[in-house]
Amino acid sequence: MRVARKFVSITLATALAAAPAAAQSTARAPTVADARRFIEAAERDLFDLSIKANQAAWVAVNFITDDTEALNAEHSKNLAVAIQRYAMQAKRFEKLQLPAELRRKLTLLKLALSAPPPGNPSDAAELTKLTTSMEADYGKGTYCRQATPPQCLQINDLSKIMATSTNPAELLDVWQGWHRVGAPLRPRYARFVELSNKGARELGFANTGELWRAGYDMTPAEFARELDRLWEQVRPLYQSLHAYVRTKLAERYGTALVPPNGMIPAHLLGNMWAQEWGNIYPLVAPVGLGDPGFDITERIKTKGVTQDSMVRIAEGFFTSLGLQKLPATFWERSLIVKPRDREVVCHASAWSIDNKDDVRIKMCTEQTGEDLVTVHHELGHNYYYLAYKHQPILFQGGANDGFHEAIGDAIALSITPEYLKTIGLIDQLPSVAADTMLLLRQALDKVAFLPFGLLIDQWRWKVFGGEVTPANYNAAWWDLRNRYQGVSAPLARSEADFDPGAKYHIPANTPYSRYFLARVLQFQFYRAMCREAGWTGPLYRCTFYGNKNAGAKLQAMLQLGSSTPWPEALYAMTGERRMDAGALAEYFQPLKVWLDEQNRGKTIGWTP
């Protein structure tokens, strides 16, 4: 789930014109006043000129044509060149003793781009053309199945098959068909890495991966160790879930396909990337215990809840906490249902067009329980945008990028039976006996995702750092998936394939560690709001819907944006200054006990 870029454009002409004034004379040592004037000028440009480029980006993903792609590329190039120029100029203030706010702005300016362009204009233009063309080609990706007439499907329809089919041959065909989308992107991606690294080095980083890891109020090495620490906290729960699911799938498909002590083939887990496993819940839930008493998707359809109504339900959760209603322009300008007359990038995303009130979502919403959760997630981004709109442009972001992803998911954790009954989606609460199965259903998404959320950037850091070269892109990808997920490729793969390119965030160059962090942070946020609401029952049953105290706690953190180091923002919400998976472990503790009982005598873990 993608957040639209914070800065989108500044025209190249304006950047060049501003450069002499921003640079100032080097005949004298720069002063704090010089640094302040420099930042103020940069922020004015970024604020005023980002609107046009945000509009260009919005049009490009909603009307996929060569022209919109070219316009988006031009605006993206101008933005990236300008920010790179400002970041380079900012280096002359690094030795000054600056006020904390000013120092933080200079640091965030340096870290603003996920793919910093080289200073050479032709290299910068090439880099932007590569990124926009890869994203556009992913959006147009199609697999035509052998049929009469041929059946040509895009990712949404292919994902439906992955979610519902139990025919291994069909699943393999669909998996293989979509992953062909990645192969043509390989040479462009390799060149993108070269150019992005060149830009990162000009900013003083060893490579783009080091730049990404520097954005967390700690050193890149400390951040890598922090991820390892959090993974070790959650790994036992994941391994228990993996062992249980492997046993159930072996019972369904046979041990020749699913080895009882080995890895799980990726095409059998209900998701194109095997990143979340909730769709196979009917296959792995115990007979007689698997019915939680309701099916949200079925209830949405039975009650005639439209896609637009799903978004209004999500808005209602936020307003119940005391937050404002979404602006009228949200409803006028968002894309909520996939158009029939054109292709769009269906990957759900949240947008702030004018850095103030023009917030939107872009989503090919389906009438499913999964998309009801996704809508809550995307509105979490929108409410974050609205809360920090008063901040200077350089502080208009999450405390760290994991915060932005975690907000909506923390709200979505409150989509409990109690909440669903309150809003009329279910008529009666399921029995306490169904709790374990509700937790299993949650874990198949929340817990199963954890290693996937970690390994995407582990792969990219190795690519940016040169440890993984184009000659072994695919081998390294599957090595990490084997090691962290215990998931195997369903058929032989080679370097003629480029399976990373079949995952949106790779061609779109969206850093992914944020999603791993969000899986941890959302439970910390959720527990804090439950405590604020006075909840005393099992954590997984808590809903803080309608509680203004919890809403005030949430708003207090959201409005900080990125103006303060993330431990301070975390403290404002939770009273804690360290990311910790303890809340996640508390939430799933009853399930862990149950899984360990089911796995008794079974092998835990796998051999890559």
Side-chain angles (χ1 to χ4, degrees):
M1 284 154 272
R2 179 189 174 206
V3 188
R5 56 189 67 112
K6 177 171 60 177
F7 304 126
V8 181
S9 182
I10 174 171
T11 65
L12 184 57
T14 302
L16 292 171
Q24 297 289 331
S25 170
T26 57
R28 62 174 176 79
T31 65
V32 172
D34 291 334
R36 191 174 301 281
R37 283 192 293 270
F38 168 81
I39 282 294
E40 288 172 352
E43 287 190 310
R44 283 194 298 270
D45 281 336
L46 291 170
F47 186 90
D48 293 340
L49 297 171
S50 65
I51 297 173
K52 291 181 181 178
N54 270 327
Q55 291 169 333
W58 175 265
V59 172
V61 295
N62 283 289
F63 300 87
I64 303 174
T65 70
D66 291 341
D67 291 331
T68 59
E69 181 182 330
L71 289 170
N72 188 29
E74 177 67 14
H75 282 292
S76 295
K77 178 202 71 176
N78 293 342
L79 160 75
V81 167
I83 292 181
Q84 180 80 336
R85 183 183 299 277
Y86 280 126
M88 292 294 292
Q89 293 168 0
K91 291 170 67 174
R92 66 196 181 91
F93 303 113
E94 288 181 351
K95 294 182 180 180
L96 284 177
Q97 293 293 323
L98 297 171
E101 177 185 8
L102 196 54
R103 172 64 64 191
R104 185 165 183 81
K105 286 184 177 181
L106 288 169
T107 298
L108 292 174
L109 176 62
K110 188 176 180 180
L111 299 171
L113 295 172
S114 60
N120 180 292
S122 63
D123 285 347
E126 182 184 0
L127 177 67
T128 307
K129 184 177 180 180
L130 288 169
T131 56
T132 54
S133 70
M134 286 192 293
E135 184 173 0
D137 283 359
Y138 182 96
K140 293 182 286 190
T142 303
Y143 172 50
C144 294
R145 306 170 76 190
Q146 292 184 354
T148 305
Q151 186 182 28
C152 294
L153 304 173
Q154 293 193 303
I155 187 59
N156 268 27
D157 291 323
L158 294 169
S159 292
K160 288 178 185 177
I161 297 171
M162 294 293 293
T164 57
S165 176
T166 56
N167 181 334
E170 181 179 38
L171 292 169
L172 180 60
D173 176 63
V174 169
W175 187 95
Q176 180 180 219
W178 176 254
H179 279 73
R180 289 174 182 160
V181 168
L185 304 180
R186 174 191 279 264
R188 277 178 282 171
Y189 190 78
R191 178 61 175 158
F192 157 80
V193 169
E194 293 177 6
L195 293 172
S196 176
N197 275 346
K198 185 177 179 181
R201 286 193 295 270
E202 291 177 7
L203 286 175
F205 297 95
N207 54 64
T208 303
E210 184 179 271
L211 182 151
W212 288 6
R213 296 192 299 277
Y216 294 91
D217 297 301
M218 59 181 72
T219 68
E222 288 170 340
F223 179 64
R225 289 193 294 272
E226 183 74 354
L227 291 186
D228 289 341
R229 179 184 67 81
L230 293 170
W231 169 239
E232 288 305 312
Q233 283 188 283
V234 299
R235 185 164 60 90
L237 176 59
Y238 175 78
Q239 289 184 328
S240 293
L241 181 67
H242 180 281
Y244 173 78
V245 168
R246 179 178 57 195
T247 297
K248 290 297 182 180
L249 291 180
E251 292 173 0
R252 174 76 187 201
Y253 295 112
T255 55
L257 185 55
V258 185
N261 300 322
M263 294 181 286
I264 303 172
H267 66 307
L268 301 180
L269 288 162
N271 174 273
M272 186 63 76
W273 308 277
Q275 68 181 59
E276 293 172 325
W277 306 348
N279 290 320
I280 63 166
Y281 174 78
L283 301 183
V284 302
V287 176
L289 292 178
D291 181 8
F294 62 91
D295 180 323
I296 301 180
T297 296
E298 185 272 333
R299 299 297 291 172
I300 287 172
K301 293 179 178 178
T302 298
K303 288 185 171 288
V305 179
T306 65
Q307 290 96 324
D308 184 83
S309 297
M310 290 166 62
V311 181
R312 292 188 183 276
I313 286 172
E315 178 195 35
F317 198 115
F318 287 91
T319 57
S320 83
L321 302 178
L323 278 64
Q324 68 186 81
K325 285 188 174 183
L326 291 166
T329 52
F330 173 90
W331 302 104
E332 297 164 2
R333 300 170 184 174
S334 289
L335 187 144
I336 296 173
V337 180
K338 187 181 188 301
R340 296 182 178 182
D341 61 342
R342 66 184 190 273
E343 300 303 334
V344 300
V345 177
C346 274
H347 189 88
S349 56
W351 297 67
S352 175
I353 301 297
D354 65 352
N355 308 313
K356 284 192 174 293
D357 295 306
D358 187 358
V359 296
R360 310 176 189 179
I361 62 170
K362 177 195 61 60
M363 181 175 171
C364 302
T365 315
E366 304 282 350
Q367 291 170 288
T368 66
E370 180 180 4
D371 274 9
L372 181 64
V373 171
T374 300
V375 165
H376 282 76
H377 172 96
E378 298 303 339
L379 291 198
H381 291 305
N382 291 140
Y383 275 97
Y384 216 158
Y385 296 144
L386 292 170
Y388 60 54
K389 67 181 182 181
H390 66 285
Q391 292 282 0
I393 188 70
L394 286 172
F395 289 160
Q396 289 193 14
N400 68 41
D401 54 11
F403 276 62
H404 232 304
E405 299 300 333
I407 293 302
D409 281 344
I411 297 297
L413 286 173
S414 250
I415 302 178
T416 60
E418 286 81 359
Y419 166 63
L420 295 172
K421 185 174 184 296
T422 298
I423 64 174
L425 265 184
I426 63 175
D427 301 320
Q428 59 184 17
L429 296 176
S431 68
V432 175
D435 282 5
T436 300
M437 293 304 99
L438 289 171
L439 286 173
L440 176 61
R441 179 62 182 81
Q442 279 275 56
L444 288 169
D445 283 340
K446 300 291 187 182
V447 177
F449 177 83
L450 290 166
F452 187 83
L454 188 68
L455 69 87
I456 297 288
D457 281 352
Q458 296 283 346
W459 180 81
R460 282 192 287 199
W461 294 347
K462 293 175 185 291
V463 168
F464 288 130
E467 180 181 343
V468 171
T469 68
N472 63 337
Y473 274 173
N474 227 44
W477 173 259
W478 283 106
D479 175 69
L480 288 167
R481 298 200 65 182
N482 295 166
R483 189 192 324 165
Y484 281 100
Q485 281 187 289
V487 165
S488 61
L491 74 168
R493 310 306 283 163
S494 73
E495 295 306 323
D497 304 301
F498 183 50
D499 294 328
K503 174 61 181 169
Y504 171 79
H505 300 74
I506 301 295
N509 192 47
T510 304
Y512 213 77
S513 295
R514 63 185 63 176
Y515 301 107
F516 175 80
L517 295 177
R519 282 300 198 271
V520 173
L521 286 167
Q522 65 186 257
F523 287 93
Q524 281 186 274
F525 295 165
Y526 173 70
R527 182 173 64 182
M529 285 187 280
C530 287
R531 288 173 174 172
E532 193 66 24
W535 182 263
T536 57
L539 182 58
Y540 59 85
R541 278 279 193 170
C542 165
T543 182
F544 45 82
Y545 175 76
N547 190 278
K548 300 297 192 295
N549 291 336
K553 201 81 168 177
L554 174 65
Q555 185 70 4
M557 186 190 75
L558 296 181
Q559 65 188 9
L560 293 173
S562 55
S563 65
T564 186
W566 65 260
E568 298 307 313
L570 181 65
Y571 184 80
M573 165 71 89
T574 68
E576 301 162 339
R577 287 190 168 89
R578 192 184 197 195
M579 291 184 288
D580 184 74
L584 185 152
E586 179 184 345
Y587 186 95
F588 287 110
Q589 192 274 336
L591 178 68
K592 180 66 164 64
V593 172
W594 183 84
L595 288 172
D596 289 345
E597 179 64 26
Q598 306 307 303
N599 291 332
R600 185 175 298 175
K602 307 284 197 314
T603 298
I604 306 297
W606 56 88
T607 301

